[in-house]
Amino acid sequence: MITEGQALARILENVSPRRTRTAPLIQARDRFAAKDVVARVALPGFDNSAMDGYAVVAAACAEGKSQRLIGEQPAGVDRELRIEPGETVRVFTGAPIPKGADAVVMQEDVRVEGPEIFVNTKVEQGEFIRRRGCDLSEGQKIVETGTRLRAQTLALLASQGFADVEIGGEVRVAIVSTGDELVPPGGHLGAGQIFDSNSVLLQSLVKKYGATIADVRHCPDEAAAIERAFRDALQFDVLIVLGGVSVGARDLVKPALNAIGAQTDLWRVSVKPGKPFLFGRAGHCFIFGLPGNPVSAFVTFLLFVRPALLRLMGAGNDELPLARTNAILAAELNNDADRPHYVRGQIAEGKFTPIGRQESHALYGLSRANALLRIPPGETFRAGTSVLVIPLD
Ligand code: AMP
Ligand code: MG
């Protein structure tokens, strides 16, 4: 059986970013930049006042000395005013600095008497002037290909006058849940049946990471129905199949993939939960088979599907690993299995506490977990030691 690392490497060597598109800034949050972007205007674009106050020549402002008020410079226009030593111009925050001025005095530090002002403080050269280009120069790189566009980055692009940005392509995902026992939420549950919870889980996760849900279906455990659903899904970028990838007689996903001519690149990974995970492809559609137990589906999505979706969406390498953070382990944990075990837990005030039943069907515990801890096979982690956990939120 291959390791998690080998599985992920095999998946990532197959998927490559989809065709890029141009999007208005406001629709680009959490998408990935498809091009480097370079500043085309300096920030600030001109010397301007950081305060409501008075522009002066610092050297002429010995304490108590009066300055002659010769005009007013608001923000939004440049009146091209000029001052000589001993003169001053009323300025407002963001207003262009009059020529000759080398400082701004806050209005709180000034007494105004008719056409004169008296400065009640020491004035330093350069004070309260925001110099052109002090934040950013023209030509400086402001966005790197493959990085996530955050609100702050989008604001920076807006400050450059860009109305839109080149981002990674849309990734359309079809989800097919399989199983005779499944009833859609809202339906009527017969004896021996369960509600289909994975479909909602996977739709939510796919949306969370920014891909598009193109189609959602449920199939009974019948070869013909499953094959038909798969064929229909191949028009999309990704097919996520839920359940039916194990080794039982009712596990029809692998034979169905064979029947429609899809290629299975890997099946079964050394991970707990999630061993029966499958990855394959047909044409330009990438196929992920997730085990039906909800925790297995969740863990294999995070480990294998999430990075593939991000790569298809144009994410750079830095974006692919799951974030990890240090925590102190509240209770001893050991893994006597031969596969790495992802333990569900809660992290609070720097402490990780396992939560709920650690079995792959235990959805309630998963619903309360906000972090996962990976324990390598055969290892014991003692209470009180520092461990690296994967936050989920
Ligand atoms: P399977 O992977 O199809 O063998 O299913 C493994 C376990 O997960 C069985 O107990 C199934 O009833 C359950 N299961 C399969 N699909 C789902 C689903 N969509 N929602 C909730 N449980 C499921
Ligand atoms: Mg099944």
Side-chain angles (χ1 to χ4, degrees), residues 177-178 181-182 194-198 243-244 251 291-293:
S177 65
T178 69
E181 74 280 31
L182 299 178
I194 62 169
F195 288 119
D196 179 350
S197 55
N198 285 347
D251 290 323
N293 276 307

